[in-house]
Structure formats: structure tokens, C-alpha cells
mmCIF file of all heavy atoms in Angstrom:
data_model
loop_
_atom_site.group_PDB
_atom_site.id
_atom_site.type_symbol
_atom_site.label_atom_id
_atom_site.label_comp_id
_atom_site.label_asym_id
_atom_site.label_seq_id
_atom_site.Cartn_x
_atom_site.Cartn_y
_atom_site.Cartn_z
ATOM 1 N N SER A 11 2.076 1.621 -13.101
ATOM 2 C CA SER A 11 1.137 2.260 -12.094
ATOM 3 C C SER A 11 0.695 3.641 -12.614
ATOM 4 O O SER A 11 0.848 4.686 -11.876
ATOM 5 C CB SER A 11 1.775 2.368 -10.744
ATOM 6 O OG SER A 11 3.017 3.068 -10.788
ATOM 7 N N VAL A 12 0.131 3.690 -13.814
ATOM 8 C CA VAL A 12 -0.386 4.958 -14.293
ATOM 9 C C VAL A 12 -1.598 5.339 -13.528
ATOM 10 O O VAL A 12 -2.540 4.567 -13.366
ATOM 11 C CB VAL A 12 -0.708 4.859 -15.831
ATOM 12 C CG1 VAL A 12 -1.324 6.111 -16.337
ATOM 13 C CG2 VAL A 12 0.538 4.518 -16.611
ATOM 14 N N THR A 13 -1.654 6.546 -12.990
ATOM 15 C CA THR A 13 -2.697 6.999 -12.114
ATOM 16 C C THR A 13 -4.080 6.699 -12.586
ATOM 17 O O THR A 13 -4.393 6.845 -13.763
ATOM 18 C CB THR A 13 -2.554 8.542 -11.862
ATOM 19 O OG1 THR A 13 -3.389 8.964 -10.793
ATOM 20 C CG2 THR A 13 -2.820 9.372 -13.067
ATOM 21 N N PRO A 14 -4.929 6.136 -11.717
ATOM 22 C CA PRO A 14 -4.766 5.887 -10.274
ATOM 23 C C PRO A 14 -4.321 4.439 -9.978
ATOM 24 O O PRO A 14 -4.535 4.007 -8.797
ATOM 25 C CB PRO A 14 -6.175 6.155 -9.724
ATOM 26 C CG PRO A 14 -7.104 5.640 -10.817
ATOM 27 C CD PRO A 14 -6.387 5.946 -12.117
ATOM 28 N N GLU A 15 -3.810 3.712 -10.902
ATOM 29 C CA GLU A 15 -3.349 2.356 -10.689
ATOM 30 C C GLU A 15 -2.152 2.337 -9.823
ATOM 31 O O GLU A 15 -1.269 3.200 -9.914
ATOM 32 C CB GLU A 15 -3.073 1.666 -12.052
ATOM 33 C CG GLU A 15 -4.277 1.449 -12.927
ATOM 34 C CD GLU A 15 -5.332 0.564 -12.281
ATOM 35 O OE1 GLU A 15 -4.871 -0.366 -11.632
ATOM 36 O OE2 GLU A 15 -6.498 0.831 -12.461
ATOM 37 N N ASP A 16 -2.096 1.309 -8.943
ATOM 38 C CA ASP A 16 -0.913 1.091 -8.095
ATOM 39 C C ASP A 16 -0.082 -0.041 -8.658
ATOM 40 O O ASP A 16 1.192 -0.012 -8.507
ATOM 41 C CB ASP A 16 -1.359 0.742 -6.675
ATOM 42 C CG ASP A 16 -0.193 0.320 -5.795
ATOM 43 O OD1 ASP A 16 0.595 1.154 -5.439
ATOM 44 O OD2 ASP A 16 -0.146 -0.908 -5.520
ATOM 45 N N ALA A 17 -0.677 -1.042 -9.250
ATOM 46 C CA ALA A 17 0.037 -2.123 -9.983
ATOM 47 C C ALA A 17 1.000 -2.883 -9.110
ATOM 48 O O ALA A 17 1.987 -3.365 -9.560
ATOM 49 C CB ALA A 17 0.767 -1.550 -11.189
ATOM 50 N N GLY A 18 0.657 -3.007 -7.809
ATOM 51 C CA GLY A 18 1.470 -3.846 -6.924
ATOM 52 C C GLY A 18 2.640 -3.105 -6.218
ATOM 53 O O GLY A 18 3.396 -3.718 -5.464
ATOM 54 N N CYS A 19 2.768 -1.771 -6.495
ATOM 55 C CA CYS A 19 3.861 -1.062 -5.837
ATOM 56 C C CYS A 19 3.699 -1.088 -4.300
ATOM 57 O O CYS A 19 4.698 -1.273 -3.587
ATOM 58 C CB CYS A 19 3.901 0.384 -6.322
ATOM 59 S SG CYS A 19 4.349 0.593 -8.057
ATOM 60 N N GLN A 20 2.502 -0.812 -3.884
ATOM 61 C CA GLN A 20 2.280 -0.749 -2.417
ATOM 62 C C GLN A 20 2.490 -2.093 -1.753
ATOM 63 O O GLN A 20 3.005 -2.224 -0.589
ATOM 64 C CB GLN A 20 0.884 -0.164 -2.102
ATOM 65 C CG GLN A 20 0.793 1.323 -2.491
ATOM 66 C CD GLN A 20 -0.503 1.945 -2.167
ATOM 67 O OE1 GLN A 20 -1.158 1.561 -1.214
ATOM 68 N NE2 GLN A 20 -0.904 2.945 -2.886
ATOM 69 N N GLU A 21 2.084 -3.166 -2.407
ATOM 70 C CA GLU A 21 2.352 -4.514 -1.858
ATOM 71 C C GLU A 21 3.832 -4.746 -1.651
ATOM 72 O O GLU A 21 4.289 -5.368 -0.652
ATOM 73 C CB GLU A 21 1.792 -5.554 -2.833
ATOM 74 C CG GLU A 21 0.278 -5.601 -2.909
ATOM 75 C CD GLU A 21 -0.233 -6.634 -3.900
ATOM 76 O OE1 GLU A 21 0.592 -7.482 -4.374
ATOM 77 O OE2 GLU A 21 -1.456 -6.624 -4.201
ATOM 78 N N LEU A 22 4.588 -4.251 -2.624
ATOM 79 C CA LEU A 22 6.059 -4.417 -2.495
ATOM 80 C C LEU A 22 6.612 -3.681 -1.298
ATOM 81 O O LEU A 22 7.412 -4.131 -0.537
ATOM 82 C CB LEU A 22 6.738 -3.953 -3.758
ATOM 83 C CG LEU A 22 8.234 -4.116 -3.900
ATOM 84 C CD1 LEU A 22 8.708 -5.552 -3.765
ATOM 85 C CD2 LEU A 22 8.746 -3.529 -5.238
ATOM 86 N N MET A 23 6.150 -2.402 -1.125
ATOM 87 C CA MET A 23 6.554 -1.599 0.013
ATOM 88 C C MET A 23 6.079 -2.220 1.343
ATOM 89 O O MET A 23 6.844 -2.218 2.290
ATOM 90 C CB MET A 23 6.040 -0.125 -0.184
ATOM 91 C CG MET A 23 6.599 0.568 -1.361
ATOM 92 S SD MET A 23 5.995 2.285 -1.425
ATOM 93 C CE MET A 23 6.752 3.041 0.003
ATOM 94 N N VAL A 24 4.861 -2.626 1.379
ATOM 95 C CA VAL A 24 4.259 -3.144 2.586
ATOM 96 C C VAL A 24 5.081 -4.401 3.041
ATOM 97 O O VAL A 24 5.318 -4.607 4.240
ATOM 98 C CB VAL A 24 2.763 -3.511 2.411
ATOM 99 C CG1 VAL A 24 2.271 -4.429 3.460
ATOM 100 C CG2 VAL A 24 1.978 -2.161 2.361
ATOM 101 N N GLU A 25 5.436 -5.262 2.094
ATOM 102 C CA GLU A 25 6.206 -6.432 2.444
ATOM 103 C C GLU A 25 7.535 -6.084 3.159
ATOM 104 O O GLU A 25 7.864 -6.699 4.134
ATOM 105 C CB GLU A 25 6.497 -7.234 1.175
ATOM 106 C CG GLU A 25 7.260 -8.555 1.381
ATOM 107 C CD GLU A 25 7.573 -9.265 0.129
ATOM 108 O OE1 GLU A 25 7.008 -8.924 -0.957
ATOM 109 O OE2 GLU A 25 8.401 -10.178 0.149
ATOM 110 N N ARG A 26 8.152 -5.022 2.669
ATOM 111 C CA ARG A 26 9.412 -4.620 3.286
ATOM 112 C C ARG A 26 9.183 -3.974 4.645
ATOM 113 O O ARG A 26 9.948 -4.196 5.596
ATOM 114 C CB ARG A 26 10.102 -3.581 2.403
ATOM 115 C CG ARG A 26 10.461 -4.073 0.960
ATOM 116 C CD ARG A 26 11.712 -4.922 0.969
ATOM 117 N NE ARG A 26 12.921 -4.099 1.019
ATOM 118 C CZ ARG A 26 13.724 -3.810 -0.016
ATOM 119 N NH1 ARG A 26 13.377 -4.256 -1.235
ATOM 120 N NH2 ARG A 26 14.791 -3.106 0.166
ATOM 121 N N LEU A 27 8.109 -3.217 4.786
ATOM 122 C CA LEU A 27 7.789 -2.530 6.022
ATOM 123 C C LEU A 27 7.313 -3.522 7.097
ATOM 124 O O LEU A 27 7.668 -3.389 8.304
ATOM 125 C CB LEU A 27 6.757 -1.405 5.769
ATOM 126 C CG LEU A 27 7.210 -0.255 4.931
ATOM 127 C CD1 LEU A 27 6.100 0.755 4.728
ATOM 128 C CD2 LEU A 27 8.461 0.438 5.514
ATOM 129 N N GLU A 28 6.484 -4.488 6.686
ATOM 130 C CA GLU A 28 6.060 -5.485 7.715
ATOM 131 C C GLU A 28 7.265 -6.265 8.296
ATOM 132 O O GLU A 28 7.252 -6.555 9.477
ATOM 133 C CB GLU A 28 5.088 -6.472 7.024
ATOM 134 C CG GLU A 28 3.703 -5.913 6.845
ATOM 135 C CD GLU A 28 2.737 -6.930 6.267
ATOM 136 O OE1 GLU A 28 3.187 -7.783 5.446
ATOM 137 O OE2 GLU A 28 1.531 -6.906 6.653
ATOM 138 N N ALA A 29 8.276 -6.501 7.476
ATOM 139 C CA ALA A 29 9.434 -7.210 7.961
ATOM 140 C C ALA A 29 10.204 -6.353 8.979
ATOM 141 O O ALA A 29 10.993 -6.949 9.768
ATOM 142 C CB ALA A 29 10.399 -7.536 6.741
ATOM 143 N N LEU A 30 9.907 -5.051 8.984
ATOM 144 C CA LEU A 30 10.570 -4.159 9.968
ATOM 145 C C LEU A 30 9.730 -3.983 11.217
ATOM 146 O O LEU A 30 10.123 -3.207 12.126
ATOM 147 C CB LEU A 30 10.883 -2.833 9.330
ATOM 148 C CG LEU A 30 11.877 -2.867 8.146
ATOM 149 C CD1 LEU A 30 11.917 -1.477 7.492
ATOM 150 C CD2 LEU A 30 13.272 -3.248 8.607
ATOM 151 N N GLY A 31 8.583 -4.578 11.246
ATOM 152 C CA GLY A 31 7.690 -4.434 12.430
ATOM 153 C C GLY A 31 6.685 -3.306 12.341
ATOM 154 O O GLY A 31 6.048 -2.980 13.354
ATOM 155 N N PHE A 32 6.447 -2.812 11.170
ATOM 156 C CA PHE A 32 5.400 -1.750 10.994
ATOM 157 C C PHE A 32 4.000 -2.372 11.066
ATOM 158 O O PHE A 32 3.743 -3.432 10.570
ATOM 159 C CB PHE A 32 5.569 -1.075 9.623
ATOM 160 C CG PHE A 32 6.598 0.027 9.643
ATOM 161 C CD1 PHE A 32 7.953 -0.273 9.529
ATOM 162 C CD2 PHE A 32 6.201 1.371 9.706
ATOM 163 C CE1 PHE A 32 8.910 0.744 9.502
ATOM 164 C CE2 PHE A 32 7.204 2.405 9.650
ATOM 165 C CZ PHE A 32 8.521 2.055 9.574
ATOM 166 N N GLN A 33 3.093 -1.694 11.692
ATOM 167 C CA GLN A 33 1.685 -1.964 11.640
ATOM 168 C C GLN A 33 1.162 -1.339 10.334
ATOM 169 O O GLN A 33 1.406 -0.144 10.064
ATOM 170 C CB GLN A 33 0.915 -1.368 12.809
ATOM 171 C CG GLN A 33 1.188 -2.046 14.144
ATOM 172 C CD GLN A 33 0.448 -1.341 15.238
ATOM 173 O OE1 GLN A 33 0.901 -0.357 15.762
ATOM 174 N NE2 GLN A 33 -0.770 -1.848 15.537
ATOM 175 N N ILE A 34 0.405 -2.133 9.504
ATOM 176 C CA ILE A 34 -0.046 -1.646 8.231
ATOM 177 C C ILE A 34 -1.571 -1.491 8.272
ATOM 178 O O ILE A 34 -2.300 -2.319 8.740
ATOM 179 C CB ILE A 34 0.283 -2.706 7.114
ATOM 180 C CG1 ILE A 34 1.764 -3.061 7.173
ATOM 181 C CG2 ILE A 34 -0.101 -2.103 5.773
ATOM 182 C CD1 ILE A 34 2.720 -1.900 6.919
ATOM 183 N N PHE A 35 -2.009 -0.291 7.813
ATOM 184 C CA PHE A 35 -3.437 0.035 7.818
ATOM 185 C C PHE A 35 -3.815 0.403 6.386
ATOM 186 O O PHE A 35 -3.679 1.548 5.954
ATOM 187 C CB PHE A 35 -3.747 1.158 8.744
ATOM 188 C CG PHE A 35 -3.397 0.883 10.203
ATOM 189 C CD1 PHE A 35 -2.130 1.120 10.692
ATOM 190 C CD2 PHE A 35 -4.346 0.342 11.044
ATOM 191 C CE1 PHE A 35 -1.824 0.851 12.001
ATOM 192 C CE2 PHE A 35 -4.015 0.033 12.346
ATOM 193 C CZ PHE A 35 -2.757 0.265 12.814
ATOM 194 N N PRO A 36 -4.287 -0.623 5.622
ATOM 195 C CA PRO A 36 -4.769 -0.314 4.226
ATOM 196 C C PRO A 36 -5.932 0.674 4.320
ATOM 197 O O PRO A 36 -6.870 0.471 5.126
ATOM 198 C CB PRO A 36 -5.178 -1.631 3.655
ATOM 199 C CG PRO A 36 -4.492 -2.653 4.551
ATOM 200 C CD PRO A 36 -4.447 -2.013 5.901
ATOM 201 N N ARG A 37 -5.963 1.706 3.472
ATOM 202 C CA ARG A 37 -7.046 2.671 3.472
ATOM 203 C C ARG A 37 -7.489 2.905 2.010
ATOM 204 O O ARG A 37 -7.490 4.047 1.519
ATOM 205 C CB ARG A 37 -6.593 4.016 4.114
ATOM 206 C CG ARG A 37 -6.149 3.896 5.548
ATOM 207 C CD ARG A 37 -7.183 3.330 6.497
ATOM 208 N NE ARG A 37 -8.452 4.026 6.381
ATOM 209 C CZ ARG A 37 -9.596 3.520 6.860
ATOM 210 N NH1 ARG A 37 -9.625 2.379 7.422
ATOM 211 N NH2 ARG A 37 -10.708 4.250 6.778
ATOM 212 N N PRO A 38 -7.962 1.877 1.329
ATOM 213 C CA PRO A 38 -8.432 2.093 -0.062
ATOM 214 C C PRO A 38 -9.663 2.944 -0.103
ATOM 215 O O PRO A 38 -10.483 2.946 0.871
ATOM 216 C CB PRO A 38 -8.693 0.681 -0.524
ATOM 217 C CG PRO A 38 -9.012 -0.085 0.710
ATOM 218 C CD PRO A 38 -8.137 0.461 1.742
ATOM 219 N N HIS A 39 -9.852 3.690 -1.142
ATOM 220 C CA HIS A 39 -11.031 4.465 -1.317
ATOM 221 C C HIS A 39 -11.396 4.533 -2.840
ATOM 222 O O HIS A 39 -10.611 5.006 -3.615
ATOM 223 C CB HIS A 39 -10.815 5.909 -0.795
ATOM 224 C CG HIS A 39 -12.109 6.672 -0.619
ATOM 225 N ND1 HIS A 39 -12.930 6.517 0.502
ATOM 226 C CD2 HIS A 39 -12.705 7.595 -1.409
ATOM 227 C CE1 HIS A 39 -14.014 7.340 0.374
ATOM 228 N NE2 HIS A 39 -13.858 7.973 -0.777
ATOM 229 N N VAL A 40 -12.575 4.085 -3.148
ATOM 230 C CA VAL A 40 -13.089 3.933 -4.510
ATOM 231 C C VAL A 40 -12.039 3.140 -5.277
ATOM 232 O O VAL A 40 -11.814 1.978 -4.976
ATOM 233 C CB VAL A 40 -13.365 5.332 -5.124
ATOM 234 C CG1 VAL A 40 -14.091 5.161 -6.471
ATOM 235 C CG2 VAL A 40 -14.189 6.182 -4.169
ATOM 236 N N ASP A 41 -11.427 3.712 -6.293
ATOM 237 C CA ASP A 41 -10.516 2.974 -7.152
ATOM 238 C C ASP A 41 -9.043 3.230 -6.811
ATOM 239 O O ASP A 41 -8.121 2.892 -7.562
ATOM 240 C CB ASP A 41 -10.713 3.281 -8.653
ATOM 241 C CG ASP A 41 -10.540 4.811 -8.918
ATOM 242 O OD1 ASP A 41 -10.513 5.643 -7.933
ATOM 243 O OD2 ASP A 41 -10.436 5.152 -10.103
ATOM 244 N N VAL A 42 -8.805 3.795 -5.611
ATOM 245 C CA VAL A 42 -7.449 4.187 -5.195
ATOM 246 C C VAL A 42 -6.963 3.353 -4.054
ATOM 247 O O VAL A 42 -7.681 3.102 -3.107
ATOM 248 C CB VAL A 42 -7.484 5.710 -4.833
ATOM 249 C CG1 VAL A 42 -6.133 6.105 -4.218
ATOM 250 C CG2 VAL A 42 -7.779 6.562 -5.999
ATOM 251 N N LYS A 43 -5.667 2.954 -4.114
ATOM 252 C CA LYS A 43 -5.079 2.231 -3.033
ATOM 253 C C LYS A 43 -4.255 3.237 -2.201
ATOM 254 O O LYS A 43 -3.511 4.042 -2.719
ATOM 255 C CB LYS A 43 -4.151 1.128 -3.558
ATOM 256 C CG LYS A 43 -4.856 -0.093 -4.067
ATOM 257 C CD LYS A 43 -3.928 -1.223 -4.341
ATOM 258 C CE LYS A 43 -4.660 -2.526 -4.724
ATOM 259 N NZ LYS A 43 -3.752 -3.605 -4.955
ATOM 260 N N ASN A 44 -4.375 3.182 -0.917
ATOM 261 C CA ASN A 44 -3.666 3.949 0.064
ATOM 262 C C ASN A 44 -3.313 3.102 1.232
ATOM 263 O O ASN A 44 -3.986 2.077 1.516
ATOM 264 C CB ASN A 44 -4.520 5.141 0.617
ATOM 265 C CG ASN A 44 -5.207 5.931 -0.451
ATOM 266 O OD1 ASN A 44 -4.589 6.536 -1.288
ATOM 267 N ND2 ASN A 44 -6.567 5.933 -0.461
ATOM 268 N N PHE A 45 -2.201 3.439 1.936
ATOM 269 C CA PHE A 45 -1.941 2.782 3.227
ATOM 270 C C PHE A 45 -1.248 3.757 4.148
ATOM 271 O O PHE A 45 -0.521 4.641 3.716
ATOM 272 C CB PHE A 45 -1.190 1.475 3.052
ATOM 273 C CG PHE A 45 0.292 1.614 2.760
ATOM 274 C CD1 PHE A 45 1.198 1.814 3.808
ATOM 275 C CD2 PHE A 45 0.790 1.421 1.452
ATOM 276 C CE1 PHE A 45 2.590 1.908 3.512
ATOM 277 C CE2 PHE A 45 2.125 1.528 1.201
ATOM 278 C CZ PHE A 45 3.055 1.759 2.229
#
């Protein structure tokens, strides 16, 4: 995940957080992934 690449890191985190009942709001902007 060399900047600004995420390379699937956020997907991994989101999977864990969704299992805990978190509401997920993806907020991508241009070439950047945010949530």
C-alpha cells in the first residue's frame, strides 16, 4: 500500500469491523480510499 494505494488494507479492516456491528461509510476521493 505505497501511498496513495490502499491495496486491500481497508477491506480487511472493514470486514473485521462489520462483524462487530459497525456501520461503514466509504468516502473515496479521486484516487484515495477512505472510510
Side-chain angles (χ1 to χ4, degrees):
S11 57
V12 176
T13 189
E15 293 297 322
D16 171 73
C19 292
Q20 292 184 27
E21 291 178 10
L22 183 60
M23 294 182 68
V24 163
E25 181 180 348
R26 301 280 283 259
L27 295 176
E28 283 183 327
L30 297 172
F32 278 79
Q33 292 177 274
I34 309 298
F35 299 87
R37 301 303 306 166
H39 194 81
V40 191
D41 59 346
V42 171
K43 286 190 174 182
N44 310 298
F45 76 82

